Amino acid sequence: MIHYSSSDRSFHLTNGRISYILHIMQNGQVGHRYFGKAIRLAENTSHMNEMSYRPLTAFPDENEFLFSTEHQRQEYPSPNAGDFRMPAVSIRQGNGSNISDFRYQYHCIYDGKPALSGLPASYCESPDEAATLELHLHDAITDIELTLLYTIFRDRCCIARSACFRNGGAPVDLDTAMSMGIDFYDSDFELVQFSGAWSRERHMITTPLRAGVQSVGSVRGHSSHNHNPFIILKRPDTTEHAGESYGFHLVYSGNFLSAAEVDTFGVTRVVQGIHPQNFCWHLVTGESFQTPESLVFWSDEGMNGLSQEIHTLLRTRVARGYWRDRERPILINSWEATTFHFDEEKILAFAEKARDCGVELFVLDDGWFGRRNDDTAGLGDWYPNLEKIPSGITGLSRKITAMGMQFGLWFEPEMVNKDSDLYRAHPDWILQTPKRQVSHGRNQYVLDFSRPEVVDCIYLQMEKILSEADISYVKWDMNRSMTEVYSAALSAKRQGEVFHRYILGVYDLYERLIRRFPHILFESCSSGGGRCDAGMLYYAPQCWASDTTDAHERLLIQYGTSCGYPISSIGAHVAAVPNWQTNRRTPLHTRANTAYFGAFGYELNLHWLPEEEISQIKEQIAFYKQNRRLFQFGTFYRLQSPFTYNSGAWMSVSEDGMQAVCGVYKTLNRPVCGYQKLCLRGLLPDVKYRITGGDKEYTAYGSELMYFGLLISDASSSERRPDMRETCDFDSRLYVITAELEG
Ligand code: DGJ
């Protein structure tokens, strides 16, 4: 899959679907030629690099007016020597300078893909699934070796990239060390970013690229609700189902920068990696620094095609372990039902009612530990509050498992309240800057996870509970952004490392727990979706996507999230109305129809509901159990964007194409609506399907459903029609499409 051509010192990575071509430039640095649809291998592709004189250019060689780094498309550019664009690397040296000149030394090509020590990354299960190119470069002045890693997957339109520095010289400071850089030939792109806020995560925002830099990032210590590390560059005419787009996924959960810069000549540079703000890694002689991984995807099958590539890779070659391919249990979570206010009796009654409805997993959220009765106390004390739960977590878990349900527990391992035994014993264990105020968020402080002894202490507390009780699920929460970041355990020179060391500490704790408890299902969470990133998926195969459980808001959040994350990873629950975030009332069936497209569950007290709603919930659960694999692991298609239209639609199709479910969600009911139909995707043209869930049940061939469409008109009209179900604002339909065996 990786071919080296000595005639023009180029490397062509191809799997027949994509090609990625890079080369060694005349100055010995690494240049970029092409990334996109597979092109035929050729002995020489040097003509792809145009060189011609441009005014106001800085040239490294006297008497040479054609070669300048400003005009070269590059792979991992450095600053201050002719290239005025964003660098991928910047190294502050002992004399204060920051120029580096990484020149090709040698390369290795091998089957498979190496793991990145201490960091999440994509992987392969057998060496023939992927091939890796290691480019070894060297900067003679600093004596630093830089290894650029490129892995191409045999069956995926994706290249995994990262960089590793090894310092053979005097100590330096890595001020910028991105995971990747790439210079596209042109700038005929739109940038799609996934931005928002707490409770309004990952809304799709599309803007044309323009001259200059457009970027999203986080300096909050977690990937954040505000911007997601995943971005897309799409051609302006690319739609959901046709056209070219590129996806950039950083496999990392801390501060990040994803940026695109269009230069004067219309070249687009993309860099992605750890955000350089507040980052500075002091690299001493003999030490190495490995960047996180960036996954770069390509598709010419529209945004859906890109998402499907991403879903498959993230679901099967980033997520790991026992739960990776397994259907996820239907859970009920106590948070919106009880917040901190419960006792054992209430929990048992709650669980029993859920069990009677068919729920498979009961999750006890916040409030069970230390002296936690509100958010001012208890974080850090991971032992049960026996006043609330006299049987302890072990006793309670056994009572719940004896009911025939699994039991899950909430932790917020990285945080501490001042009112806790842990803080009283170790007030110096929080992130705080000497002599400065230390800000709180939700009355809590951030434990210094860059310190191994802090991680050890939390590990031991969690290990005790998880080994003693019957626990099959853990929700790992993280409820504030980081401020006054400084570690008492590190020297002044190393303070720029704290953010990254912190995340390495989080990964270390996760790794130890999943190794010790391989059968526990972990769900990541950060006040909802503040840490919904590919890095987390390596440890926790699902993520609580948002604290908003309102069905309409969830439609937007899940629609945006689906662009970059597999459906099985999106935690989605049915909650009570009026919704506690929006005060909105949506029909119970719409709440379920939305949450079905995810790791499904409930987040309400079933005792609040009238019997007829309980019956509806029983039906929902039975239905989901029958169709769970289709929802969680089917091929997902976005059909209509709720960001653009008064309704949204999506569908999921089974691997063999014989079964599908399609959700159609209305925002506002409109009088005298036009007729509406929806062209489905992914069905088998010649197979006859039975369609249920609409006003009429009927059969139609796949070709009709895909090319004529599925009729979705409803009773929105000034006159009532007896043959149509009444409709309302936030109504929805779930169409079940099942192949009919003929003959
Ligand atoms: C924030 C989470 O997103 C919620 O689901 C819940 O677990 C609360 N934290 C508990 O404090």
mmCIF file of all heavy atoms in Angstrom, residues 198 333 335 340 365-366 372 410 412 442 475 477 479 525-529 544 546-547 603, ligand 1:
data_model
loop_
_atom_site.group_PDB
_atom_site.id
_atom_site.type_symbol
_atom_site.label_atom_id
_atom_site.label_comp_id
_atom_site.label_asym_id
_atom_site.label_seq_id
_atom_site.Cartn_x
_atom_site.Cartn_y
_atom_site.Cartn_z
ATOM 1 N N TRP A 198 -22.710 24.504 26.365
ATOM 2 C CA TRP A 198 -23.279 23.474 27.228
ATOM 3 C C TRP A 198 -24.762 23.323 26.862
ATOM 4 O O TRP A 198 -25.452 24.325 26.687
ATOM 5 C CB TRP A 198 -23.133 23.898 28.703
ATOM 6 C CG TRP A 198 -23.924 22.992 29.604
ATOM 7 C CD1 TRP A 198 -23.603 21.716 29.949
ATOM 8 C CD2 TRP A 198 -25.170 23.298 30.234
ATOM 9 N NE1 TRP A 198 -24.591 21.192 30.755
ATOM 10 C CE2 TRP A 198 -25.562 22.144 30.958
ATOM 11 C CE3 TRP A 198 -25.994 24.414 30.260
ATOM 12 C CZ2 TRP A 198 -26.734 22.080 31.699
ATOM 13 C CZ3 TRP A 198 -27.168 24.352 31.004
ATOM 14 C CH2 TRP A 198 -27.517 23.198 31.719
ATOM 15 N N ASN A 333 -31.354 6.273 33.993
ATOM 16 C CA ASN A 333 -30.404 7.030 34.802
ATOM 17 C C ASN A 333 -31.187 7.878 35.800
ATOM 18 O O ASN A 333 -32.211 8.468 35.468
ATOM 19 C CB ASN A 333 -29.570 7.914 33.864
ATOM 20 C CG ASN A 333 -28.607 8.792 34.617
ATOM 21 O OD1 ASN A 333 -29.001 9.705 35.331
ATOM 22 N ND2 ASN A 333 -27.330 8.522 34.457
ATOM 23 N N TRP A 335 -30.454 10.733 37.313
ATOM 24 C CA TRP A 335 -30.157 12.145 37.524
ATOM 25 C C TRP A 335 -31.364 13.066 37.420
ATOM 26 O O TRP A 335 -31.700 13.798 38.346
ATOM 27 C CB TRP A 335 -29.028 12.592 36.580
ATOM 28 C CG TRP A 335 -28.715 14.050 36.719
ATOM 29 C CD1 TRP A 335 -28.866 15.009 35.774
ATOM 30 C CD2 TRP A 335 -28.208 14.723 37.890
ATOM 31 N NE1 TRP A 335 -28.481 16.227 36.264
ATOM 32 C CE2 TRP A 335 -28.073 16.078 37.560
ATOM 33 C CE3 TRP A 335 -27.863 14.300 39.169
ATOM 34 C CZ2 TRP A 335 -27.607 17.032 38.466
ATOM 35 C CZ3 TRP A 335 -27.393 15.246 40.085
ATOM 36 C CH2 TRP A 335 -27.273 16.588 39.729
ATOM 37 N N PHE A 340 -29.800 15.050 43.650
ATOM 38 C CA PHE A 340 -29.077 14.532 44.820
ATOM 39 C C PHE A 340 -30.021 13.922 45.866
ATOM 40 O O PHE A 340 -29.577 13.445 46.903
ATOM 41 C CB PHE A 340 -28.307 15.671 45.497
ATOM 42 C CG PHE A 340 -27.352 16.377 44.559
ATOM 43 C CD1 PHE A 340 -27.684 17.592 43.976
ATOM 44 C CD2 PHE A 340 -26.116 15.821 44.265
ATOM 45 C CE1 PHE A 340 -26.806 18.239 43.117
ATOM 46 C CE2 PHE A 340 -25.235 16.461 43.413
ATOM 47 C CZ PHE A 340 -25.579 17.677 42.832
ATOM 48 N N ASP A 365 -26.761 7.916 39.466
ATOM 49 C CA ASP A 365 -25.932 9.061 39.070
ATOM 50 C C ASP A 365 -25.403 9.743 40.324
ATOM 51 O O ASP A 365 -25.290 9.139 41.401
ATOM 52 C CB ASP A 365 -26.788 9.987 38.175
ATOM 53 C CG ASP A 365 -25.966 10.822 37.203
ATOM 54 O OD1 ASP A 365 -25.405 11.841 37.638
ATOM 55 O OD2 ASP A 365 -25.880 10.462 36.018
ATOM 56 N N ASP A 366 -25.095 10.995 40.213
ATOM 57 C CA ASP A 366 -24.488 11.810 41.271
ATOM 58 C C ASP A 366 -25.262 11.688 42.599
ATOM 59 O O ASP A 366 -26.474 11.478 42.602
ATOM 60 C CB ASP A 366 -24.536 13.268 40.777
ATOM 61 C CG ASP A 366 -23.548 14.152 41.497
ATOM 62 O OD1 ASP A 366 -22.987 13.722 42.509
ATOM 63 O OD2 ASP A 366 -23.349 15.283 41.022
ATOM 64 N N ARG A 372 -22.361 14.077 49.970
ATOM 65 C CA ARG A 372 -22.859 14.733 48.766
ATOM 66 C C ARG A 372 -24.378 14.843 48.799
ATOM 67 O O ARG A 372 -25.091 13.886 48.466
ATOM 68 C CB ARG A 372 -22.424 13.893 47.556
ATOM 69 C CG ARG A 372 -22.810 14.469 46.208
ATOM 70 C CD ARG A 372 -21.787 15.424 45.722
ATOM 71 N NE ARG A 372 -21.896 15.718 44.306
ATOM 72 C CZ ARG A 372 -21.305 16.750 43.742
ATOM 73 N NH1 ARG A 372 -20.554 17.573 44.467
ATOM 74 N NH2 ARG A 372 -21.437 16.968 42.461
ATOM 75 N N TRP A 410 -22.142 6.363 38.794
ATOM 76 C CA TRP A 410 -21.559 7.624 38.326
ATOM 77 C C TRP A 410 -20.319 7.971 39.153
ATOM 78 O O TRP A 410 -20.307 7.799 40.370
ATOM 79 C CB TRP A 410 -22.620 8.714 38.508
ATOM 80 C CG TRP A 410 -22.254 10.119 38.118
ATOM 81 C CD1 TRP A 410 -22.518 10.726 36.929
ATOM 82 C CD2 TRP A 410 -21.626 11.117 38.931
ATOM 83 N NE1 TRP A 410 -22.085 12.037 36.955
ATOM 84 C CE2 TRP A 410 -21.531 12.297 38.175
ATOM 85 C CE3 TRP A 410 -21.119 11.135 40.232
ATOM 86 C CZ2 TRP A 410 -20.970 13.481 38.652
ATOM 87 C CZ3 TRP A 410 -20.549 12.304 40.713
ATOM 88 C CH2 TRP A 410 -20.480 13.469 39.931
ATOM 89 N N GLU A 412 -17.083 11.159 39.258
ATOM 90 C CA GLU A 412 -16.432 12.321 38.641
ATOM 91 C C GLU A 412 -14.993 12.331 39.162
ATOM 92 O O GLU A 412 -14.628 13.129 40.034
ATOM 93 C CB GLU A 412 -17.177 13.619 38.969
ATOM 94 C CG GLU A 412 -16.688 14.731 38.068
ATOM 95 C CD GLU A 412 -17.429 16.049 38.226
ATOM 96 O OE1 GLU A 412 -18.366 16.114 39.034
ATOM 97 O OE2 GLU A 412 -17.035 17.014 37.542
ATOM 98 N N ARG A 442 -18.981 25.192 39.580
ATOM 99 C CA ARG A 442 -19.943 24.334 40.268
ATOM 100 C C ARG A 442 -19.393 23.927 41.643
ATOM 101 O O ARG A 442 -19.485 22.777 42.038
ATOM 102 C CB ARG A 442 -20.195 23.085 39.413
ATOM 103 C CG ARG A 442 -21.537 22.438 39.646
ATOM 104 C CD ARG A 442 -21.579 21.046 39.049
ATOM 105 N NE ARG A 442 -22.918 20.506 39.073
ATOM 106 C CZ ARG A 442 -23.202 19.220 39.065
ATOM 107 N NH1 ARG A 442 -22.251 18.332 39.001
ATOM 108 N NH2 ARG A 442 -24.449 18.818 39.090
ATOM 109 N N LYS A 475 -20.445 5.684 34.540
ATOM 110 C CA LYS A 475 -20.543 6.973 33.838
ATOM 111 C C LYS A 475 -19.463 7.872 34.433
ATOM 112 O O LYS A 475 -19.487 8.171 35.627
ATOM 113 C CB LYS A 475 -21.931 7.575 34.045
ATOM 114 C CG LYS A 475 -22.104 8.953 33.413
ATOM 115 C CD LYS A 475 -23.557 9.394 33.565
ATOM 116 C CE LYS A 475 -23.781 10.830 33.126
ATOM 117 N NZ LYS A 475 -25.138 11.282 33.464
ATOM 118 N N ASP A 477 -17.908 11.362 34.617
ATOM 119 C CA ASP A 477 -18.304 12.747 34.342
ATOM 120 C C ASP A 477 -17.119 13.695 34.554
ATOM 121 O O ASP A 477 -16.097 13.328 35.171
ATOM 122 C CB ASP A 477 -19.445 13.111 35.311
ATOM 123 C CG ASP A 477 -20.361 14.196 34.776
ATOM 124 O OD1 ASP A 477 -19.987 14.870 33.801
ATOM 125 O OD2 ASP A 477 -21.453 14.379 35.360
ATOM 126 N N ASN A 479 -17.118 17.990 35.170
ATOM 127 C CA ASN A 479 -18.089 19.079 35.102
ATOM 128 C C ASN A 479 -17.548 20.495 35.172
ATOM 129 O O ASN A 479 -18.265 21.399 35.596
ATOM 130 C CB ASN A 479 -19.128 18.888 36.209
ATOM 131 C CG ASN A 479 -20.138 17.823 35.839
ATOM 132 O OD1 ASN A 479 -20.725 17.886 34.773
ATOM 133 N ND2 ASN A 479 -20.303 16.840 36.692
ATOM 134 N N CYS A 525 -18.543 11.489 29.798
ATOM 135 C CA CYS A 525 -19.488 12.587 29.965
ATOM 136 C C CYS A 525 -18.686 13.778 30.442
ATOM 137 O O CYS A 525 -17.686 13.629 31.151
ATOM 138 C CB CYS A 525 -20.525 12.172 31.016
ATOM 139 S SG CYS A 525 -21.672 13.474 31.495
ATOM 140 N N SER A 526 -19.089 14.966 30.040
ATOM 141 C CA SER A 526 -18.477 16.157 30.610
ATOM 142 C C SER A 526 -19.564 17.222 30.594
ATOM 143 O O SER A 526 -19.738 17.913 29.590
ATOM 144 C CB SER A 526 -17.264 16.577 29.771
ATOM 145 O OG SER A 526 -16.788 17.823 30.196
ATOM 146 N N SER A 527 -20.334 17.270 31.688
ATOM 147 C CA SER A 527 -21.532 18.120 31.691
ATOM 148 C C SER A 527 -22.273 17.896 30.375
ATOM 149 O O SER A 527 -22.467 18.821 29.588
ATOM 150 C CB SER A 527 -21.169 19.593 31.824
ATOM 151 O OG SER A 527 -20.727 19.880 33.108
ATOM 152 N N GLY A 528 -22.617 16.666 30.104
ATOM 153 C CA GLY A 528 -23.151 16.323 28.786
ATOM 154 C C GLY A 528 -21.984 16.125 27.846
ATOM 155 O O GLY A 528 -21.026 15.421 28.145
ATOM 156 N N GLY A 529 -22.028 16.807 26.699
ATOM 157 C CA GLY A 529 -21.080 16.512 25.617
ATOM 158 C C GLY A 529 -19.848 17.388 25.563
ATOM 159 O O GLY A 529 -19.426 17.781 24.482
ATOM 160 N N TRP A 544 -22.205 10.467 26.798
ATOM 161 C CA TRP A 544 -23.465 11.170 27.064
ATOM 162 C C TRP A 544 -23.411 12.485 26.271
ATOM 163 O O TRP A 544 -22.660 13.396 26.599
ATOM 164 C CB TRP A 544 -23.623 11.392 28.562
ATOM 165 C CG TRP A 544 -24.875 12.117 28.972
ATOM 166 C CD1 TRP A 544 -24.937 13.166 29.845
ATOM 167 C CD2 TRP A 544 -26.229 11.844 28.579
ATOM 168 N NE1 TRP A 544 -26.241 13.563 30.000
ATOM 169 C CE2 TRP A 544 -27.062 12.774 29.227
ATOM 170 C CE3 TRP A 544 -26.809 10.915 27.715
ATOM 171 C CZ2 TRP A 544 -28.440 12.789 29.053
ATOM 172 C CZ3 TRP A 544 -28.197 10.943 27.534
ATOM 173 C CH2 TRP A 544 -28.986 11.871 28.210
ATOM 174 N N SER A 546 -25.258 15.102 25.543
ATOM 175 C CA SER A 546 -25.646 16.442 25.957
ATOM 176 C C SER A 546 -26.515 16.370 27.199
ATOM 177 O O SER A 546 -27.254 15.393 27.384
ATOM 178 C CB SER A 546 -26.464 17.123 24.858
ATOM 179 O OG SER A 546 -26.889 18.402 25.296
ATOM 180 N N ASP A 547 -26.480 17.412 28.006
ATOM 181 C CA ASP A 547 -27.412 17.483 29.131
ATOM 182 C C ASP A 547 -28.807 17.890 28.676
ATOM 183 O O ASP A 547 -29.752 17.856 29.462
ATOM 184 C CB ASP A 547 -26.899 18.464 30.196
ATOM 185 C CG ASP A 547 -26.003 17.754 31.203
ATOM 186 O OD1 ASP A 547 -26.002 16.514 31.218
ATOM 187 O OD2 ASP A 547 -25.310 18.442 31.964
ATOM 188 N N GLU A 603 -34.443 8.804 31.418
ATOM 189 C CA GLU A 603 -33.856 9.732 32.379
ATOM 190 C C GLU A 603 -35.017 10.440 33.068
ATOM 191 O O GLU A 603 -35.211 11.631 32.926
ATOM 192 C CB GLU A 603 -32.968 10.715 31.581
ATOM 193 C CG GLU A 603 -32.185 11.704 32.383
ATOM 194 C CD GLU A 603 -30.696 11.402 32.463
ATOM 195 O OE1 GLU A 603 -30.207 10.497 31.753
ATOM 196 O OE2 GLU A 603 -30.044 12.063 33.270
HETATM 197 C C1 DGJ B 1 -23.527 16.407 34.460
HETATM 198 C C2 DGJ B 1 -23.998 15.267 33.619
HETATM 199 O O1 DGJ B 1 -23.991 15.607 32.278
HETATM 200 C C3 DGJ B 1 -25.386 14.859 34.085
HETATM 201 O O2 DGJ B 1 -25.891 13.852 33.265
HETATM 202 C C4 DGJ B 1 -25.304 14.410 35.510
HETATM 203 O O3 DGJ B 1 -24.515 13.260 35.609
HETATM 204 C C5 DGJ B 1 -24.742 15.533 36.372
HETATM 205 N N1 DGJ B 1 -23.503 16.021 35.840
HETATM 206 C C6 DGJ B 1 -24.528 15.067 37.788
HETATM 207 O O4 DGJ B 1 -23.928 16.006 38.552
#
